[in-house]
Amino acid sequence: FIDIGGVDGMLHVADISHGRVNKPADALTVGQELDVKILKVDPAKKRISLGLKQLQPDPWTTAADRYHAGDRVRGTVARVTDFGAFVELEPGLDGLVHLSEMSWSKKVRKPSDMVKPGETVDVVILGVSPGEKRISLGLKQALGDPWDEVEKKYPVGAVVEGPVTQLKQFGAFVQVTEDVEGMIHVGDIVHEKRINHPQDVLKVGQVVRAAVLENDREKRRLRLGLKQLQPT
């Protein structure tokens, strides 16, 4: 409450700052003098609504001048939801890291597996829409693309080794690096006979050696073969 000369006006916590203020005492002290803007006067209720942030520049008006797609920036995780995490880049300016932009690995099921509120993170700007007050951020882009390594380290003909992570009717998936899986088609498992399902020969957790048959970075596909390392 602000004494504006014989009458008190009310400065709501949401009108103190463009940034996040949990309670007025975090930003203001009793006796502090402020310049405020009168937002509304209601004589019937004897209420005057005041605003402090309205006298400060809105960071969204200049966001497009300061943030550009491809920029690497640092921020603080403000809150985590089921679909992503909001990262405060500066007071009053939050960007969203969608779950799909958190990790190159398909193992991440929820945002809280990757980040926690209050944590400082490096992110990459994916897009800026000041009119919608929206900034899209990427966490995995700041960590580096694992396919940079895969493309160089595992050319066609190279041999990889890793555990089987899952078995499908059409083939088996093998963990090649922490974030990249390769796929062995059911027809590339054995020479001698046709198998109905990869589980006839393989099991989850089994470590296998396989040859790289295809390395397609654009499609992010690494095709492997077991029978190519076995004598006919």
Side-chain angles (χ1 to χ4, degrees), residues 178-192:
E178 184 179 353
D179 297 312
V180 176
E181 290 182 334
M183 196 276 285
I184 304 173
H185 188 269
V186 66
D188 289 314
I189 293 178
V190 294
H191 281 295
E192 291 80 4

Side-chain angles (χ1 to χ4, degrees), residues 99 102-114:
L99 176 60
M102 287 194 163
S103 174
W104 299 103
S105 173
K106 297 177 182 178
K107 295 179 181 179
V108 178
R109 304 297 183 190
K110 54 185 186 293
S112 57
D113 291 340
M114 290 294 295

Side-chain angles (χ1 to χ4, degrees), residues 45-104:
K45 295 182 179 180
K46 296 183 178 180
R47 180 184 300 168
I48 299 176
S49 299
L50 306 174
L52 180 61
K53 73 177 184 182
Q54 286 76 7
L55 297 180
Q56 303 164 352
D58 185 346
W60 283 102
T61 59
T62 57
D65 298 329
R66 290 174 288 116
Y67 298 98
H68 310 91
D71 288 353
R72 185 188 181 102
V73 295
R74 179 167 292 183
T76 303
V77 178
R79 57 192 176 95
V80 179
T81 68
D82 292 338
F83 56 84
F86 288 90
V87 176
E88 184 181 64
L89 304 180
E90 60 181 76
L93 204 67
D94 287 0
L96 172 65
V97 183
H98 190 269
L99 176 60
S100 62
E101 304 297 346
M102 287 194 163
S103 174
W104 299 103

